[in-house]
Amino acid sequence: MWVYEKKLQYPVRVSTCNPKLAKFLIEQYGGADGELAAALRYLNQRYSIPDKVIGLLTDIGTEEFAHLEMIATMVYKLTKDATPDQMKAAGLGDHYANHDNALFYHNAAGVPWTATYIQAKGDPIADLYEDIAAEEKARATYQWIINMSDDTDLNDGLRFLREREIIHSQRFREAVEILKEERDKKKFF
Amino acid sequence: MNTLRKTWHPYISPFDPCTPIKVKTYSTPPNLYMGFQPPGLEQFTPMEALRAGTLWKAFYDPWYSPYEKAREGQ
Amino acid sequence: MKQLPADYYQLLEQLQAVDFVLVELTLYLDTHNKDTEAIKQFNHYAKERKKLRNAIESKYGPLMQFGHSYSGQPWNWDDAPWPWQV
Ligand SMILES: [Fe+2]
């Protein structure tokens, strides 16, 4: 089971009321390479992957939920007291009409999250390569959002999240090495 | 130590309407070069690690917007 | 409305830092299960986090529920602020 802890993984700060940035950020909330997709992808793959890497998928999948909460916090803070006019000016009029200031799992273009964003091939190598690609795509998405944002506090949190993708990719690469290792040759520690 | 950014020069046509970007950059983070992480790599302190997003210095590769400075100058 | 003092943010960040080390070591150990030094370090910080967690909970209420934290009187798990509100 899972147990919630009443704290963020990282001290998220946002310096300005800027719903426009929320519109971009929502990509990492409900987009194809976002944190929700990441968490669900890894946790779901656990059931058919060799035992040696189930722990890793469990732990990275769990960390992704912490990242999802960080993104939610950023979006929440960027839009919390935004008026309908401010939402409209930020290109969030369509969002406001349907959701008011509520968060929703869709991407920056308003397309709702879909399970087709994630894969489970049942082949350990295919699945881990998908995971590595997902981490690199998430890393790139953070770069493009940082490039569009001039909120230094927000960028600080986004940099943390981007760095985590680098580490996750590293661990998935190591998982591939573990699975392809020849039984009698012992080279890892 | 490997470089964490690579550059390339896209072809520029005299008929391209936007101001050409002469050099394009992309990210090649440390995980591409590390292989299986060896034990005992140099670490950050816990507080530094939290700020860096990694415990190990060898993985630290922060991304800053190339436009942020230009925007400040305006 | 009650606001949290600077002390809360300081304590919280200390816990976030120690917990971050534990996350990093967890993922590392998932692929390096025989690194005895890393395991020692992990257990050291696991102890560290217990102290910090107790310090926060004694002043600001439970961090976890379903029995992973004790409750105050009255039930204070659902007291605001929540993590995204602070
Ligand atoms: Fe990730």
Side-chain angles (χ1 to χ4, degrees):
Chain A
M1 81 174 279
W2 270 266
V3 185
Y4 182 71
E5 184 155 28
K6 205 172 175 179
K7 76 184 215 302
L8 296 181
Q9 188 187 15
Y10 184 86
V12 169
R13 292 280 186 284
V14 175
S15 28
T16 48
C17 169
N18 189 347
K20 207 175 260 170
L21 289 174
K23 182 172 162 62
F24 303 145
L25 263 180
I26 208 83
E27 183 68 33
Q28 285 304 81
Y29 195 63
D33 307 312
E35 303 293 352
L36 178 70
L40 297 180
R41 178 188 299 112
Y42 307 147
L43 294 176
N44 178 62
Q45 286 174 358
R46 298 184 303 154
Y47 303 100
S48 51
I49 207 120
D51 292 357
K52 279 178 188 170
V53 295
I54 292 177
L56 184 67
L57 281 171
T58 304
D59 296 332
I60 294 183
T62 300
E63 189 185 352
E64 304 293 9
F65 276 123
H67 297 171
L68 188 69
E69 192 184 28
M70 284 177 63
I71 295 286
T73 301
M74 292 168 179
V75 172
Y76 165 81
K77 289 199 182 289
L78 286 166
T79 57
K80 178 177 170 242
D81 301 307
T83 63
D85 273 346
Q86 284 175 311
M87 295 288 277
K88 214 171 15 177
L92 284 168
D94 311 9
H95 179 95
Y96 185 84
N98 192 359
H99 304 286
D100 191 297
N101 291 36
L103 275 74
F104 193 66
Y105 293 112
H106 55 206
N107 70 9
V111 180
W113 190 87
T114 156
T116 54
Y117 288 157
I118 65 176
Q119 303 284 318
K121 194 49 69 178
D123 177 90
I125 300 302
D127 282 348
L128 284 169
Y129 271 66
E130 144 128 355
D131 301 344
I132 293 166
E135 294 295 337
E136 302 298 346
K137 286 189 279 183
R139 168 184 58 73
T141 307
Y142 282 120
Q143 293 166 198
W144 311 153
I145 297 174
I146 290 170
N147 285 358
M148 285 192 290
S149 156
D150 45 16
D151 187 316
T152 44
D153 284 327
L154 183 76
N155 287 353
D156 176 68
L158 294 175
R159 255 189 296 280
F160 171 88
L161 290 168
R162 176 183 173 276
E163 182 71 37
R164 297 311 297 148
E165 313 300 4
I166 293 174
I167 300 298
H168 292 173
S169 172
Q170 170 71 22
R171 298 297 166 232
F172 285 133
R173 288 163 198 270
E174 288 168 350
V176 170
E177 294 305 312
I178 288 170
L179 293 188
K180 74 185 218 205
E181 189 189 11
E182 305 289 349
R183 246 165 217 275
D184 356 296
K185 274 194 260 164
K186 194 76 211 108
K187 43 181 194 273
F188 302 128
F189 9 87
Chain B
M1 179 84 184
N2 303 283
T3 57
L4 301 173
R5 303 287 182 269
K6 304 290 180 288
T7 55
W8 60 292
H9 301 261
Y11 180 79
I12 297 168
S13 159
F15 304 110
D16 292 346
C18 299
T19 316
I21 297 170
K22 291 180 184 136
V23 186
K24 286 234 179 191
T25 308
Y26 57 94
S27 164
T28 49
N31 60 29
L32 300 181
Y33 306 97
M34 178 66 68
F36 210 94
Q37 182 182 339
L41 285 189
E42 204 188 330
Q43 295 184 355
F44 288 116
T45 65
M47 206 49 104
E48 287 169 349
L50 178 69
R51 288 295 162 186
T54 173
L55 179 56
W56 293 276
K57 294 184 177 180
F59 286 114
Y60 184 53
D61 170 22
W63 180 273
Y64 289 89
S65 164
Y67 305 105
E68 226 169 83
K69 272 215 181 92
R71 226 177 269 157
E72 272 168 20
Q74 276 166 14
Chain C
M1 197 181 168
K2 162 189 120 185
Q3 297 253 299
L4 290 164
D7 165 76
Y8 166 83
Y9 293 93
Q10 257 171 34
L11 269 178
L12 181 67
E13 192 167 341
Q14 282 175 37
L15 180 62
Q16 282 166 326
V18 168
D19 277 357
F20 181 69
V21 173
L22 289 165
V23 167
E24 274 288 71
L25 289 173
T26 299
L27 301 189
Y28 172 83
L29 287 165
D30 283 341
T31 56
H32 298 71
N33 60 7
K34 294 193 179 73
D35 187 332
T36 48
E37 280 310 306
I39 294 170
K40 259 189 234 159
Q41 197 189 6
F42 180 90
N43 287 335
H44 166 79
Y45 280 109
K47 215 179 265 172
E48 227 21 53
R49 99 157 307 268
K50 240 175 226 160
K51 288 184 218 154
L52 279 167
R53 169 240 173 104
N54 289 341
I56 292 181
E57 291 193 323
S58 65
K59 285 188 189 168
Y60 303 107
L63 285 170
M64 297 182 83
Q65 241 0 305
F66 295 155
H68 290 262
S69 298
Y70 292 108
S71 178
Q73 286 284 4
W75 180 250
N76 54 350
W77 162 244
D78 51 7
D79 286 359
W82 288 85
W84 55 91
Q85 299 171 324
V86 301

